Every structure is written in C-alpha cells, then in structure tokens.
Amino acid sequence: MCPIIPLPVTFTPLDGSFSLDSRTVIVVSPQTKGVGELLRGRIKTATGLSLKFDSSADGKGIVLKIAPGLSRLGDEGYRLEVDADGIIIQAAKPAGIFYGMQSLLQLFPASIYGPAKTKANWSAPACIVEDHPRFKWRGGHLDVGRHFMPVPDVMRFIDLLAMHKMNTFHWHLTEDQGWRIEIKQYPKLTAIGSKRTNTMTNYSPATYTGKPHEGFYTQAQIREIVKYAAARFVTIVPEIEMPGHATAAIAAYPELGNSGIQLPVATTWGVIDTVLNTEPSTIKFMQNVLDEVIQLFPGQFIHIGGDECPKKEWKESKAAQDRIASLGLKGEHDLQSWFIRQMDQHLTSRGRRLIGWSEILEGGLAPGAGLMVWLGNEGAMEAVRSGHDVVMAQTTHTYFDFYQSRDTANEPKAIGGFLPLEKVYEYEPILPEMTPEQGKHVMGCQFQIWTEYIGDFKKVEYMAFPRACALSEVAWSRRSDRDFASFNERLGPHLSRLEASGVNFRKP
Ligand code: ACM
C-alpha cells in the first residue's frame, strides 16, 4: 500500500529497503542545497545522525538532483527512487525536490518527525514514486485578527502546510478586532489597532473573558516569516481587509470611518456595520498600506478582503451618497465595486494581482482580479465565465472553524456548523457545470481557520487536523484516484507522524 498523504500520482513498490546510517551522505547541488539542509536538519533532530553533504554521487547517499528532463512533471513534480543502495530525488525545479523530500520522509518510521533522538530502524521501503499536483493553489488560511498567534506558531503552521505539500498560506492580518501588521507610515494601526479590551467567548447569550488581548508582527518579523515560508516553497498571501471588517483601523484613525467618532477596537464577533468611508484620503491611505505590504510579500496575489461590507453607513452618509452621484454609480454595491477597483488598479500598476472574497463580485469584478469563493457556486460561475481565476474556499467544505462532530457537547467550542472529515474529502473544486475551459480558471482550494473561538495554536491544530490532510489530497491528488477508504487506511499511519510532530490533532 502507498503510505503517502497526499496520494501521489504513481507509487510502485519494489523489493528491499534503504537504511540510513552514519555513512549516508546527502548529495546536493547549489540549487538543491536548501532542501538538503532541511532534510539534514530533520534527520539530525530525529535520529541524532549528522549526515555529511557531498557533491559527487558515489557515496551511499540521498541524491537531490535537478533534472530538466523531468519538466513534463511541472514545476512542483518529482521522481523519487528508493532502493537498497540509495535514494534519488529528481525534479525540474527545487520545489519538486522539496515535495520529493516530503514523500521520502513519509517512507521512514513516523518518529522521523519526532523531536528526540529516537532509536529506530531508519529504513524506507524500496519504491518508485512519480508525482505532480493537480492544482497550483493548495492553501491554508489563518485568521490572526480575532486571535493573535505568535511568530513560532505561524512558522509551525507553515511547516504543517508544507508537510502536506500545500504551497499557499493565506494570512488574514487585519480585522474589526485587531490590526496585526506593522505599517511604518501609520503607527497607530498597531499602537491602537492591535489591542482590544475584551474577548467574546459566546455570541448569544454574550459572554466575555474580561481580559485584554493584543499582538502584532513587526515588519522585521514578517520578513523572517516570508523567508521561512519561501525555504519551504510556501507563498504567503497577505490579507488586508477593506472596506468592511476594518473597525480596528478606524479605531486607530477615526478619519477613515463614516461617523468621525472615536470607536474602540471591536470586542464582539459578527458582521459589524462600521466600514471605511470612500474619501480620496481613505483610498490613498489604504493604497499606502498596500505599498508597504507589497514591499514585504513578494507573491503575485494581495488579498483585500472585500467580504461582509454592510451598506448601512454609506446609505446614511451624505459624503458617500455624493460620491455615488458624482461617479455616476448605481448605488452602494457599485460604490463597493468602485472602492475595490481603486485597489485593483493600484496593485496592477505595481505588477501584482488583487484577490478578494465572493462579495467583490457585487457591481462587477475588477479586470484581472481573482475571486476567493466562500459563498455559493453562482459567484464562481460568474467569475470563470468572464475569464477570472478563482480559489475555492466554500463554507460547506473548507471552513475548519466548524464542528468536526455532531456530538458538540464533547467538542471544544466551535463557531457552529458541521464539517466532518469525509465531507472535506468529498470536496470537488471544479464544479460539474464548468466547461473544461472554465475549469482551468480554478486555481485550487484552501481551508480556513477563523479564530473567533480559537484562542491558541493548540486549538488551531485541533481544528485543522486531520481535516487539512483530507484537503491536501483534494488539492494535490488526481480526481480519479480519490477514494475515502484508501485515504482512511493511510490516515492511521499518518496520524502517527502528526503525533511524532507534536500536533494536537482530533482523534477520529
Ligand atoms: C468570510 O467568511 N467572511 C469570508
């Protein structure tokens, strides 16, 4: 049986096995040294063996080799061969070498993921694996606005994504309840916006911790995290929420709001009526914020939120109504669309692409923008029909803040819903009503961890795993190979890997 999650395209078992020992060398080239160092570090931590690097292929070794001839497997595909004499991972690009290494680790005993110098027979079964991903966007989202997660936790999240061959970390950095990214031009965003006085522990009836909550990432920390992610072939998509979910920003700079009144950073959950105004100075402010964000994050996409922007304040605001009239817009939905378009033009002029949640469709999608679909399928269809790229992130199958069991009394508090492992596994990002051409606009899928009721990283792990294992297979493995019984069989040993990694997963 193939032991690997997500299931590779081909796995051919052979006779025999390879054993690691102190004479094993890792053969690297300048292009594969980075992955070699990660592999060396993992082996050292788990086994105590200090493997040497070698640049010739004659040692009894693990060879990491760029092979341009394997470009048929794409930028992330790889070929892994294990026999008694050695291991060779080949790929057209370093990302493929990295994913080959991830598959290789899963061939060793689970304690290869462990923290201690474990005694074990460090052998891997002989086999040949040829593999490449189905989708190019394989992601996990983490909301650090509702609850701040310290830098080591964010790095651990990235490690866990990478272990599952996921390549996109959607970092939800700003919210009504907290602004978590240092912006040099606007220091009050964090000085004021990163702190709140209280935290809700239940929505209705409302209960609270009675304790303040705060935290933000400095730009230096963010650079460190971006570098950490890049070494693991994870691209970070930063999200700066606008024009809704921006109460923390408005608390810091009341001139961004519609009332001008000094508001506190929000302490209750839900959709809040407070939204940004549409003054030229506010547009400029948010574009300036995005300029600093662009400097920090090298990826193509910048997420601007765009979801859940109530139109109440704009309906009641003379300035907003005057803007609708002077721009010749049809109403508040058009005004939202106009707002998003100002950001889209700005990002495009800087060589980046905007992505936003389903609601950025209201009043028409900006040209070039990507859509992150969390609501119904109609939005996805509208987007792909007009040639826009989409990421599938629907509540029904990817909201990992939902309960994992119907027996909610015996689960830690969740926001609601019910999303068991099997249902995640059933997710199909390409809709049956899409033509093959439209299906090509589905970049992939991702899971979401909204943290209203997730106060620390142990609980993030509990909500994410093993559901993220299932989603990794949706994102990576071929549609025709997907089979829950096969996944479930492989999941048992995989949970031992998570256990060795110290992950607080939910036991099925
Ligand atoms: C969302 O869940 N409001 C994107």
Short mmCIF file of all heavy atoms in Angstrom, two decimals, residues 376-427:
data_model
loop_
_atom_site.label_atom_id
_atom_site.label_comp_id
_atom_site.label_asym_id
_atom_site.label_seq_id
_atom_site.Cartn_x
_atom_site.Cartn_y
_atom_site.Cartn_z
N GLY A 376 -21.90 30.90 -2.41
CA GLY A 376 -22.41 29.89 -3.36
C GLY A 376 -21.61 29.74 -4.64
O GLY A 376 -20.70 30.52 -4.95
N ASN A 377 -21.99 28.73 -5.40
CA ASN A 377 -21.32 28.42 -6.66
C ASN A 377 -21.58 29.44 -7.76
O ASN A 377 -20.82 29.54 -8.71
CB ASN A 377 -21.79 27.05 -7.17
CG ASN A 377 -21.27 25.94 -6.29
OD1 ASN A 377 -20.34 26.12 -5.52
ND2 ASN A 377 -21.90 24.77 -6.40
N GLU A 378 -22.70 30.21 -7.64
CA GLU A 378 -23.04 31.15 -8.72
C GLU A 378 -21.91 32.15 -8.94
O GLU A 378 -21.58 32.50 -10.07
CB GLU A 378 -24.33 31.93 -8.42
CG GLU A 378 -25.51 31.10 -7.93
CD GLU A 378 -25.37 30.67 -6.48
OE1 GLU A 378 -25.00 31.52 -5.63
OE2 GLU A 378 -25.59 29.47 -6.18
N GLY A 379 -21.32 32.59 -7.82
CA GLY A 379 -20.22 33.56 -7.92
C GLY A 379 -19.04 32.97 -8.67
O GLY A 379 -18.42 33.64 -9.51
N ALA A 380 -18.76 31.70 -8.37
CA ALA A 380 -17.64 31.04 -9.06
C ALA A 380 -17.93 30.97 -10.55
O ALA A 380 -17.06 31.22 -11.38
CB ALA A 380 -17.44 29.64 -8.48
N MET A 381 -19.19 30.62 -10.88
CA MET A 381 -19.55 30.51 -12.30
C MET A 381 -19.46 31.86 -13.00
O MET A 381 -18.93 31.97 -14.11
CB MET A 381 -20.97 29.94 -12.45
CG MET A 381 -21.09 28.47 -12.11
SD MET A 381 -19.86 27.42 -12.95
CE MET A 381 -20.29 27.69 -14.67
N GLU A 382 -19.97 32.89 -12.33
CA GLU A 382 -19.92 34.23 -12.92
C GLU A 382 -18.47 34.63 -13.20
O GLU A 382 -18.14 35.18 -14.25
CB GLU A 382 -20.59 35.23 -11.97
CG GLU A 382 -20.84 36.58 -12.59
CD GLU A 382 -21.50 37.55 -11.60
OE1 GLU A 382 -22.28 37.09 -10.74
OE2 GLU A 382 -21.22 38.75 -11.70
N ALA A 383 -17.60 34.32 -12.23
CA ALA A 383 -16.19 34.70 -12.38
C ALA A 383 -15.53 33.94 -13.53
O ALA A 383 -14.88 34.55 -14.38
CB ALA A 383 -15.45 34.45 -11.07
N VAL A 384 -15.69 32.62 -13.55
CA VAL A 384 -14.97 31.86 -14.60
C VAL A 384 -15.55 32.13 -15.99
O VAL A 384 -14.82 32.12 -16.98
CB VAL A 384 -14.93 30.33 -14.32
CG1 VAL A 384 -14.19 30.03 -13.05
CG2 VAL A 384 -16.32 29.70 -14.33
N ARG A 385 -16.84 32.43 -16.05
CA ARG A 385 -17.44 32.78 -17.35
C ARG A 385 -16.79 34.01 -17.93
O ARG A 385 -16.64 34.15 -19.14
CB ARG A 385 -18.95 33.03 -17.19
CG ARG A 385 -19.78 31.82 -17.60
CD ARG A 385 -21.26 32.19 -17.63
NE ARG A 385 -21.99 31.25 -16.82
CZ ARG A 385 -22.64 31.53 -15.69
NH1 ARG A 385 -22.68 32.78 -15.24
NH2 ARG A 385 -23.26 30.60 -15.02
N SER A 386 -16.41 34.94 -17.03
CA SER A 386 -15.78 36.17 -17.55
C SER A 386 -14.25 36.05 -17.53
O SER A 386 -13.54 37.05 -17.61
CB SER A 386 -16.26 37.38 -16.74
OG SER A 386 -16.04 37.16 -15.37
N GLY A 387 -13.76 34.82 -17.39
CA GLY A 387 -12.31 34.61 -17.53
C GLY A 387 -11.48 34.94 -16.31
O GLY A 387 -10.26 35.09 -16.41
N HIS A 388 -12.14 35.06 -15.15
CA HIS A 388 -11.38 35.34 -13.93
C HIS A 388 -10.95 34.04 -13.25
O HIS A 388 -11.67 33.05 -13.28
CB HIS A 388 -12.23 36.17 -12.95
CG HIS A 388 -12.45 37.57 -13.43
ND1 HIS A 388 -11.56 38.58 -13.18
CD2 HIS A 388 -13.46 38.11 -14.15
CE1 HIS A 388 -12.01 39.70 -13.74
NE2 HIS A 388 -13.16 39.45 -14.34
N ASP A 389 -9.79 34.09 -12.58
CA ASP A 389 -9.31 32.94 -11.83
C ASP A 389 -9.99 32.90 -10.46
O ASP A 389 -10.22 33.94 -9.85
CB ASP A 389 -7.79 33.02 -11.64
CG ASP A 389 -7.05 32.80 -12.95
OD1 ASP A 389 -7.61 32.12 -13.84
OD2 ASP A 389 -5.92 33.30 -13.07
N VAL A 390 -10.26 31.69 -9.98
CA VAL A 390 -10.92 31.55 -8.68
C VAL A 390 -10.16 30.56 -7.80
O VAL A 390 -9.47 29.67 -8.28
CB VAL A 390 -12.39 31.06 -8.81
CG1 VAL A 390 -13.22 32.07 -9.60
CG2 VAL A 390 -12.48 29.69 -9.45
N VAL A 391 -10.31 30.78 -6.49
CA VAL A 391 -9.85 29.83 -5.49
C VAL A 391 -11.09 29.38 -4.74
O VAL A 391 -11.89 30.21 -4.31
CB VAL A 391 -8.86 30.48 -4.50
CG1 VAL A 391 -8.49 29.51 -3.38
CG2 VAL A 391 -7.60 30.94 -5.23
N MET A 392 -11.28 28.09 -4.62
CA MET A 392 -12.49 27.57 -3.99
C MET A 392 -12.26 27.41 -2.48
O MET A 392 -11.31 26.73 -2.06
CB MET A 392 -12.89 26.25 -4.64
CG MET A 392 -13.13 26.40 -6.15
SD MET A 392 -14.40 27.62 -6.56
CE MET A 392 -15.83 26.56 -6.60
N ALA A 393 -13.12 28.06 -1.72
CA ALA A 393 -12.94 28.12 -0.26
C ALA A 393 -14.30 28.15 0.42
O ALA A 393 -14.55 28.92 1.34
CB ALA A 393 -12.13 29.37 0.10
N GLN A 394 -15.19 27.29 -0.06
CA GLN A 394 -16.57 27.37 0.41
C GLN A 394 -16.77 26.96 1.87
O GLN A 394 -16.11 26.03 2.35
CB GLN A 394 -17.49 26.54 -0.47
CG GLN A 394 -18.06 27.38 -1.61
CD GLN A 394 -17.79 26.77 -2.95
OE1 GLN A 394 -16.80 26.08 -3.11
NE2 GLN A 394 -18.66 27.03 -3.90
N THR A 395 -17.70 27.64 2.51
CA THR A 395 -18.04 27.32 3.90
C THR A 395 -18.39 25.84 4.04
O THR A 395 -18.01 25.20 5.01
CB THR A 395 -19.26 28.15 4.37
OG1 THR A 395 -20.32 27.93 3.45
CG2 THR A 395 -18.93 29.62 4.46
N THR A 396 -19.12 25.32 3.05
CA THR A 396 -19.66 23.96 3.16
C THR A 396 -18.58 22.90 3.35
O THR A 396 -18.83 21.88 3.98
CB THR A 396 -20.42 23.60 1.86
OG1 THR A 396 -19.56 23.91 0.75
CG2 THR A 396 -21.72 24.36 1.75
N HIS A 397 -17.39 23.11 2.76
CA HIS A 397 -16.36 22.06 2.78
C HIS A 397 -15.00 22.50 3.30
O HIS A 397 -14.13 21.65 3.48
CB HIS A 397 -16.15 21.51 1.36
CG HIS A 397 -17.32 20.74 0.82
ND1 HIS A 397 -18.43 21.36 0.31
CD2 HIS A 397 -17.54 19.41 0.73
CE1 HIS A 397 -19.29 20.44 -0.09
NE2 HIS A 397 -18.79 19.25 0.16
N THR A 398 -14.80 23.79 3.51
CA THR A 398 -13.43 24.24 3.83
C THR A 398 -13.34 25.11 5.07
O THR A 398 -12.26 25.63 5.36
CB THR A 398 -12.78 24.99 2.64
OG1 THR A 398 -13.42 26.26 2.49
CG2 THR A 398 -12.87 24.19 1.34
N TYR A 399 -14.45 25.31 5.76
CA TYR A 399 -14.41 26.14 6.97
C TYR A 399 -14.11 25.26 8.18
O TYR A 399 -15.00 24.65 8.77
CB TYR A 399 -15.71 26.93 7.13
CG TYR A 399 -15.64 28.29 6.44
CD1 TYR A 399 -15.06 28.40 5.18
CD2 TYR A 399 -16.11 29.44 7.05
CE1 TYR A 399 -14.96 29.64 4.55
CE2 TYR A 399 -16.01 30.69 6.42
CZ TYR A 399 -15.44 30.77 5.17
OH TYR A 399 -15.33 32.00 4.55
N PHE A 400 -12.85 25.24 8.55
CA PHE A 400 -12.41 24.33 9.62
C PHE A 400 -12.63 24.92 11.00
O PHE A 400 -12.18 24.37 12.00
CB PHE A 400 -10.94 23.94 9.42
CG PHE A 400 -10.67 23.04 8.24
CD1 PHE A 400 -11.69 22.65 7.37
CD2 PHE A 400 -9.40 22.56 7.99
CE1 PHE A 400 -11.44 21.81 6.28
CE2 PHE A 400 -9.13 21.72 6.91
CZ PHE A 400 -10.15 21.35 6.05
N ASP A 401 -13.34 26.06 11.05
CA ASP A 401 -13.80 26.54 12.38
C ASP A 401 -15.13 25.87 12.73
O ASP A 401 -15.63 26.05 13.84
CB ASP A 401 -13.91 28.07 12.42
CG ASP A 401 -14.76 28.67 11.31
OD1 ASP A 401 -14.96 28.00 10.26
OD2 ASP A 401 -15.23 29.81 11.48
N PHE A 402 -15.68 25.08 11.79
CA PHE A 402 -16.92 24.35 12.07
C PHE A 402 -16.63 23.09 12.91
O PHE A 402 -15.52 22.57 12.87
CB PHE A 402 -17.57 23.90 10.76
CG PHE A 402 -18.26 24.99 9.97
CD1 PHE A 402 -18.09 26.33 10.27
CD2 PHE A 402 -19.10 24.67 8.90
CE1 PHE A 402 -18.72 27.33 9.54
CE2 PHE A 402 -19.74 25.65 8.16
CZ PHE A 402 -19.55 26.98 8.49
N TYR A 403 -17.66 22.62 13.58
CA TYR A 403 -17.52 21.38 14.38
C TYR A 403 -17.15 20.19 13.50
O TYR A 403 -17.58 20.07 12.36
CB TYR A 403 -18.84 21.08 15.11
CG TYR A 403 -19.04 21.91 16.36
CD1 TYR A 403 -19.97 22.95 16.38
CD2 TYR A 403 -18.31 21.64 17.52
CE1 TYR A 403 -20.16 23.71 17.53
CE2 TYR A 403 -18.50 22.40 18.67
CZ TYR A 403 -19.42 23.43 18.67
OH TYR A 403 -19.60 24.19 19.80
N GLN A 404 -16.38 19.27 14.12
CA GLN A 404 -15.98 18.05 13.40
C GLN A 404 -16.88 16.88 13.77
O GLN A 404 -16.72 15.78 13.23
CB GLN A 404 -14.53 17.69 13.74
CG GLN A 404 -13.56 18.83 13.42
CD GLN A 404 -12.11 18.50 13.65
OE1 GLN A 404 -11.55 17.65 12.98
NE2 GLN A 404 -11.48 19.19 14.59
N SER A 405 -17.75 17.10 14.73
CA SER A 405 -18.63 16.02 15.19
C SER A 405 -20.00 16.61 15.47
O SER A 405 -20.13 17.80 15.77
CB SER A 405 -18.04 15.43 16.47
OG SER A 405 -19.00 14.64 17.13
N ARG A 406 -21.03 15.74 15.38
CA ARG A 406 -22.37 16.20 15.76
C ARG A 406 -22.52 16.26 17.27
O ARG A 406 -23.40 16.93 17.80
CB ARG A 406 -23.43 15.25 15.19
CG ARG A 406 -23.60 15.39 13.69
CD ARG A 406 -25.07 15.29 13.31
NE ARG A 406 -25.23 15.25 11.86
CZ ARG A 406 -25.38 16.33 11.09
NH1 ARG A 406 -25.40 17.53 11.63
NH2 ARG A 406 -25.51 16.20 9.79
N ASP A 407 -21.63 15.53 17.93
CA ASP A 407 -21.66 15.49 19.39
C ASP A 407 -20.93 16.72 19.94
O ASP A 407 -19.86 16.62 20.53
CB ASP A 407 -20.98 14.19 19.86
CG ASP A 407 -20.96 14.06 21.38
OD1 ASP A 407 -21.72 14.79 22.05
OD2 ASP A 407 -20.16 13.25 21.87
N THR A 408 -21.55 17.89 19.73
CA THR A 408 -20.84 19.14 20.04
C THR A 408 -20.58 19.32 21.53
O THR A 408 -19.66 20.03 21.91
CB THR A 408 -21.62 20.36 19.50
OG1 THR A 408 -22.93 20.33 20.08
CG2 THR A 408 -21.73 20.32 17.99
N ALA A 409 -21.38 18.63 22.36
CA ALA A 409 -21.18 18.75 23.81
C ALA A 409 -19.81 18.23 24.21
O ALA A 409 -19.23 18.67 25.20
CB ALA A 409 -22.28 18.00 24.55
N ASN A 410 -19.28 17.27 23.42
CA ASN A 410 -17.97 16.70 23.74
C ASN A 410 -16.85 17.24 22.86
O ASN A 410 -15.79 16.64 22.77
CB ASN A 410 -18.03 15.17 23.65
CG ASN A 410 -18.81 14.60 24.82
OD1 ASN A 410 -18.50 14.90 25.97
ND2 ASN A 410 -19.84 13.82 24.53
N GLU A 411 -17.11 18.36 22.22
CA GLU A 411 -16.09 19.02 21.41
C GLU A 411 -15.76 20.37 22.04
O GLU A 411 -16.62 20.98 22.68
CB GLU A 411 -16.62 19.29 19.99
CG GLU A 411 -16.74 18.07 19.12
CD GLU A 411 -15.39 17.51 18.72
OE1 GLU A 411 -14.49 18.27 18.35
OE2 GLU A 411 -15.24 16.27 18.82
N PRO A 412 -14.54 20.85 21.83
CA PRO A 412 -14.28 22.23 22.24
C PRO A 412 -15.18 23.18 21.45
O PRO A 412 -15.58 22.85 20.33
CB PRO A 412 -12.81 22.44 21.90
CG PRO A 412 -12.43 21.34 20.97
CD PRO A 412 -13.38 20.21 21.20
N LYS A 413 -15.47 24.32 22.02
CA LYS A 413 -16.41 25.25 21.38
C LYS A 413 -15.95 25.62 19.97
O LYS A 413 -14.79 25.94 19.74
CB LYS A 413 -16.56 26.52 22.22
CG LYS A 413 -17.48 27.52 21.53
CD LYS A 413 -18.04 28.55 22.44
CE LYS A 413 -18.89 29.56 21.68
NZ LYS A 413 -20.07 28.95 21.04
N ALA A 414 -16.91 25.56 19.04
CA ALA A 414 -16.64 26.00 17.66
C ALA A 414 -17.70 27.03 17.29
O ALA A 414 -18.63 27.28 18.06
CB ALA A 414 -16.68 24.81 16.71
N ILE A 415 -17.55 27.61 16.11
CA ILE A 415 -18.47 28.69 15.74
C ILE A 415 -19.84 28.15 15.38
O ILE A 415 -20.84 28.87 15.39
CB ILE A 415 -17.87 29.54 14.59
CG1 ILE A 415 -18.52 30.92 14.55
CG2 ILE A 415 -17.97 28.83 13.25
CD1 ILE A 415 -17.66 31.98 13.92
N GLY A 416 -19.92 26.86 15.07
CA GLY A 416 -21.18 26.24 14.65
C GLY A 416 -20.88 25.27 13.52
O GLY A 416 -19.76 24.80 13.40
N GLY A 417 -21.91 24.99 12.71
CA GLY A 417 -21.72 24.15 11.53
C GLY A 417 -21.35 22.72 11.86
O GLY A 417 -21.27 22.33 13.03
N PHE A 418 -21.15 21.95 10.82
CA PHE A 418 -20.73 20.55 10.97
C PHE A 418 -19.97 20.18 9.70
O PHE A 418 -20.54 20.15 8.61
CB PHE A 418 -21.97 19.65 11.15
CG PHE A 418 -21.62 18.18 11.18
CD1 PHE A 418 -20.64 17.69 12.04
CD2 PHE A 418 -22.30 17.28 10.36
CE1 PHE A 418 -20.32 16.33 12.06
CE2 PHE A 418 -21.99 15.92 10.38
CZ PHE A 418 -21.00 15.44 11.24
N LEU A 419 -18.70 19.94 9.85
CA LEU A 419 -17.87 19.59 8.70
C LEU A 419 -16.96 18.43 9.06
O LEU A 419 -15.83 18.61 9.52
CB LEU A 419 -17.05 20.83 8.25
CG LEU A 419 -16.09 20.62 7.07
CD1 LEU A 419 -16.77 20.00 5.87
CD2 LEU A 419 -15.45 21.95 6.68
N PRO A 420 -17.48 17.20 8.87
CA PRO A 420 -16.66 16.03 9.20
C PRO A 420 -15.60 15.78 8.12
O PRO A 420 -15.70 16.29 7.01
CB PRO A 420 -17.68 14.90 9.25
CG PRO A 420 -18.77 15.31 8.31
CD PRO A 420 -18.82 16.83 8.35
N LEU A 421 -14.63 14.96 8.49
CA LEU A 421 -13.51 14.62 7.61
C LEU A 421 -13.97 14.12 6.23
O LEU A 421 -13.45 14.55 5.20
CB LEU A 421 -12.69 13.53 8.33
CG LEU A 421 -11.39 13.08 7.71
CD1 LEU A 421 -10.38 14.22 7.68
CD2 LEU A 421 -10.82 11.90 8.53
N GLU A 422 -14.96 13.23 6.22
CA GLU A 422 -15.42 12.63 4.96
C GLU A 422 -15.92 13.71 4.01
O GLU A 422 -15.73 13.64 2.81
CB GLU A 422 -16.60 11.66 5.19
CG GLU A 422 -16.29 10.46 6.02
CD GLU A 422 -16.46 10.71 7.52
OE1 GLU A 422 -16.10 11.83 8.00
OE2 GLU A 422 -16.93 9.80 8.21
N LYS A 423 -16.59 14.72 4.58
CA LYS A 423 -17.16 15.75 3.73
C LYS A 423 -16.05 16.61 3.12
O LYS A 423 -16.14 17.01 1.95
CB LYS A 423 -18.14 16.60 4.54
CG LYS A 423 -18.87 17.59 3.66
CD LYS A 423 -20.11 18.15 4.30
CE LYS A 423 -20.74 19.16 3.35
NZ LYS A 423 -21.79 19.94 3.97
N VAL A 424 -15.02 16.89 3.91
CA VAL A 424 -13.87 17.62 3.36
C VAL A 424 -13.30 16.83 2.20
O VAL A 424 -13.01 17.37 1.13
CB VAL A 424 -12.78 17.85 4.43
CG1 VAL A 424 -11.55 18.50 3.80
CG2 VAL A 424 -13.31 18.68 5.59
N TYR A 425 -13.16 15.53 2.41
CA TYR A 425 -12.55 14.67 1.39
C TYR A 425 -13.35 14.67 0.10
O TYR A 425 -12.81 14.52 -1.00
CB TYR A 425 -12.37 13.24 1.93
CG TYR A 425 -11.38 12.46 1.10
CD1 TYR A 425 -10.02 12.61 1.28
CD2 TYR A 425 -11.82 11.60 0.10
CE1 TYR A 425 -9.10 11.92 0.50
CE2 TYR A 425 -10.92 10.91 -0.69
CZ TYR A 425 -9.56 11.07 -0.49
OH TYR A 425 -8.66 10.39 -1.28
N GLU A 426 -14.68 14.83 0.23
CA GLU A 426 -15.56 14.82 -0.95
C GLU A 426 -15.50 16.10 -1.78
O GLU A 426 -16.08 16.17 -2.86
CB GLU A 426 -17.03 14.68 -0.50
CG GLU A 426 -17.44 13.29 -0.15
CD GLU A 426 -18.76 13.32 0.63
OE1 GLU A 426 -19.47 14.37 0.61
OE2 GLU A 426 -19.05 12.31 1.27
N TYR A 427 -14.85 17.11 -1.25
CA TYR A 427 -14.88 18.42 -1.91
C TYR A 427 -14.34 18.32 -3.33
O TYR A 427 -13.30 17.72 -3.58
CB TYR A 427 -14.03 19.42 -1.12
CG TYR A 427 -14.23 20.87 -1.52
CD1 TYR A 427 -15.49 21.37 -1.79
CD2 TYR A 427 -13.15 21.75 -1.60
CE1 TYR A 427 -15.68 22.70 -2.14
CE2 TYR A 427 -13.32 23.07 -1.93
CZ TYR A 427 -14.59 23.55 -2.20
OH TYR A 427 -14.76 24.87 -2.53
#
